[in-house]
Amino acid sequence: MDNGFSKDSLATYAAGQRERFERTLAELVEIPTVSVEPERKPDMRRGADSAVRLLESMGAKAKLYETPGHPIVYGRFDRGAGLPTITVYNHLDVQPAEGPDWRTSPFEFVRQGDRYFGRGTTDDKGPAITALFGAKYAFDNGVAANIHFLWEFEEEIGSPHFETTIIDRAKDFATDSVVVSDTVWVSRARPAQPAGLRGLQGLRFELKTGQTDQHSGTAGGAARNPVTEMCQLISECVDGKTGRVKIPGFYTDVVPPTRKELQDLEGCGFTVAGFKKDHLYKTLRVEDALEVMKRIWMMPTFEVHGIAGGYQGPGVKTIIPPKATAIVSCRLVPDMNPKKIVKLVSDFVKSKNPDVKITAEHALPAYQGKTTGPYADAIRSSIKLAFGKEPVFVREGGSIGAVLSMEKVLKVPVFFLGLSLPEHGYHAPNENFDWSQAKGGMAAFASYFQQVAAMGSAGGKALPAARA
Ligand code: BES
Ligand code: MN
Ligand code: MN
């Protein structure tokens, strides 16, 4: 590659930045930016302020945008008008982190050798600052592009104010392309170039059949039990053993994978043994690798995240509870429509148990990405340069609300350069990131910026590339 950065100079830069990288990640991880918890509002603000200071300390200009919810932080390394602008998207909010399974305190940054523990290390604070360090190298070494950072603080709650904010400030956020770093590789040995994301429809089921606890010896037998009814309802919606959704019409709009996509799966390096190890499972619903991959990346689901109601303490307290709640979501694939799914599920639930109240929560359609064209080629070659391996095309099973909004509002192509690994434990206890992904990631990003700059502003105009 002409004028490209050499692998050696990138490795030297990364090594020299390691201490600063760790200090920076520690500072971000130690601010508990849990977007779903209302009492964290001051921490969300502290997190956003700290992100602004971080961007400024790296030599970028930075601005905080208010939204009706949590802020958005925007940073820019500006070289000049007429040059291509590349926007990097990450989110700096995190999932809640309680529970007994954490070996270290979740909001304390703990380094053990090359591993970094703490909530948000891999989802998505580590990748965010990795990209930032890569950008600083590219910018300081004369790359002819403007590099911008779009950092959201509401991704983990479905990005409720993202789209309206970028519509209102469309001029500020104008760009030629977006690269998102918030996805997972197949394994450490197999980088992934995501060809799509699943969508998501969140739902709450609530059932109230009484006013207070009642003695099950005096009322039991005649009284309705909301927990039992909720369990029956759930099992009418989905087969618990196989996962098959039993709601009529649920699968009607599902687009099956193409032959090319199935071929890509065959060579992608996924193994069931590795999957079980990374996610700490001893048994699964199915054991065939192709079947597991189809299920986690290409098929919709109906999942119960939590079911609550009744007595949870020691011994057996013999009461009949008055209410039950189930928190549910459906992962969606192309061409499923979130609104249609809400209607299907609501109508079905009403027909089975008219007393259950349904509330729809975040609604995100699935996303189909582009895997061809100059940007996709630049992603591939930057990963190859940095990690010595070509990425494989797979769809990702998770969802990122901002992606569709950026494509729609900014009217530019969106690509993925993710750095997380399955064993990093997305949303799990003992979430971690590691130096080898950070070091390689800095190099990959620097190289990507350099290659997109070399495409010139015409590179952007030649697009949008055909969808895969
Ligand atoms: N980084 C994930 C999305 C993701 C997960 C990409 C797995 C690839 C593989 C993101 O932070 C996330 O967790 N999104 C939520 C969104 C939801 C709460 C609206 C998700 O997918 O559950
Ligand atoms: Mn994420
Ligand atoms: Mn997440």
Side-chain angles (χ1 to χ4, degrees):
M1 172 178 50
D2 281 350
N3 296 326
F5 296 136
S6 80
K7 199 175 155 67
D8 285 351
S9 60
L10 290 165
T12 308
Y13 166 73
Q17 293 298 313
R18 180 166 182 169
E19 201 202 306
R20 187 173 186 191
F21 174 84
E22 290 172 356
R23 220 186 322 121
T24 306
L25 185 55
E27 187 179 326
L28 291 185
V29 167
E30 294 191 354
I31 306 174
T33 49
V34 185
S35 48
V36 77
E37 295 175 349
E39 66 276 19
R40 301 287 195 189
K41 188 118 190 128
D43 293 317
M44 299 306 296
R45 165 56 51 146
R46 272 205 302 138
D49 288 340
S50 143
V52 167
R53 281 196 307 272
L54 166 60
L55 287 159
E56 286 170 349
S57 77
M58 296 289 278
K61 290 208 188 69
K63 192 168 162 186
L64 187 152
Y65 289 83
E66 300 290 355
T67 82
H70 304 307
I72 286 175
V73 169
Y74 198 71
R76 22 171 108 223
F77 289 102
D78 278 331
R79 176 82 67 205
L83 294 173
T85 299
I86 308 160
T87 299
V88 186
Y89 168 90
N90 290 89
H91 64 91
L92 296 185
D93 63 322
V94 301
Q95 285 280 320
E98 64 283 332
D101 296 325
W102 280 88
R103 289 186 295 270
T104 61
S105 160
F107 297 109
E108 202 178 295
F109 177 81
V110 175
R111 178 185 151 182
Q112 284 169 10
D114 284 351
R115 263 185 201 272
Y116 309 123
F117 289 90
R119 177 54 90 225
T121 45
T122 198
D123 187 15
D124 184 28
K125 292 173 173 175
I129 62 170
T130 300
L132 178 61
F133 278 71
K136 183 164 171 54
Y137 180 85
F139 199 71
D140 290 350
N141 286 280
V143 160
N146 306 308
I147 306 173
H148 293 182
F149 286 86
L150 180 43
W151 285 346
E152 191 189 2
F153 286 77
E154 292 192 322
E155 192 276 338
E156 299 288 10
I157 52 172
S159 305
H161 305 105
F162 185 83
E163 191 166 305
T164 47
T165 308
I166 63 171
I167 289 175
D168 290 350
R169 305 300 197 114
K171 264 207 197 116
D172 292 13
F173 296 124
T175 185
D176 297 301
S177 67
V178 174
V179 57
V180 171
S181 190
D182 190 29
T183 50
V184 194
W185 291 14
V186 175
S187 73
R188 188 180 289 281
R190 295 296 176 118
Q193 186 166 11
L197 302 168
R198 285 197 287 191
L200 187 77
Q201 179 60 59
L203 297 161
R204 290 175 71 96
F205 294 179
E206 273 154 325
L207 176 60
K208 190 163 179 245
T209 57
Q211 299 304 318
T212 57
D213 285 355
Q214 292 294 331
H215 196 297
S216 68
T218 59
R224 292 176 63 183
N225 186 317
V227 176
T228 317
E229 287 188 25
M230 189 64 85
C231 291
Q232 176 164 353
L233 174 67
I234 301 278
S235 73
E236 283 167 331
C237 290
V238 61
D239 183 307
K241 288 253 172 59
T242 62
R244 177 97 199 152
V245 182
K246 300 200 270 185
I247 301 169
F250 186 82
Y251 294 100
T252 304
D253 297 332
V254 172
V255 178
T258 61
R259 199 178 315 151
K260 163 84 169 62
E261 280 184 309
L262 291 174
Q263 270 166 13
D264 288 340
L265 291 188
E266 266 166 35
C268 84
F270 177 92
T271 67
V272 174
F275 176 81
K276 285 181 170 171
K277 182 162 174 275
D278 291 337
H279 298 280
L280 311 176
Y281 286 120
K282 292 212 161 61
T283 57
L284 298 173
R285 284 176 175 161
V286 289
E287 295 286 334
D288 174 69
L290 189 61
E291 187 58 27
V292 174
M293 287 187 280
K294 280 197 221 160
R295 280 167 173 256
I296 61 174
W297 295 330
M298 296 163 161
M299 290 297 288
T301 63
F302 180 104
E303 211 74 69
V304 181
H305 304 294
I307 176 158
Y311 182 65
Q312 310 284 331
V316 178
K317 185 179 179 198
T318 52
I319 50 95
I320 296 169
K323 59 181 188 147
T325 308
I327 299 176
V328 171
S329 82
C330 297
R331 290 282 165 190
L332 309 178
V333 301
D335 284 332
M336 295 170 89
N337 175 330
K339 282 211 185 76
K340 191 168 162 190
I341 291 299
V342 173
K343 174 137 180 35
L344 270 184
V345 177
S346 307
D347 289 352
F348 182 77
V349 167
K350 284 278 166 280
S351 77
K352 296 291 175 188
N353 194 330
D355 295 329
V356 173
K357 281 209 177 57
I358 298 196
T359 318
E361 305 246 337
H362 19 55
L364 314 173
Y367 178 76
Q368 278 179 290
K370 291 156 286 291
T371 54
T372 55
Y375 290 101
D377 291 346
I379 301 243
R380 262 194 303 286
S381 81
S382 62
I383 291 180
K384 176 88 185 7
L385 174 83
F387 294 98
K389 298 164 257 211
E390 288 258 349
V392 290
F393 293 118
V394 294
R395 295 200 215 160
E396 301 261 351
S399 315
I400 306 169
V403 168
L404 270 168
S405 300
M406 292 189 289
E407 195 181 67
K408 196 165 88 190
V409 177
L410 306 175
K411 298 187 177 63
V412 296
V414 179
F415 297 89
F416 299 90
L417 208 176
L419 296 171
S420 296
L421 301 179
E423 68 261 37
H424 285 161
Y426 256 15
H427 297 194
N430 307 306
E431 177 180 347
N432 62 92
F433 193 56
D434 65 70
W435 174 243
S436 127
Q437 292 305 97
K439 178 178 72 177
M442 287 178 201
F445 269 101
S447 163
Y448 178 71
F449 298 134
Q450 189 277 323
Q451 291 181 65
V452 174
M455 279 152 49
S457 33
K461 300 288 147 17
L463 291 158
R467 279 175 181 274

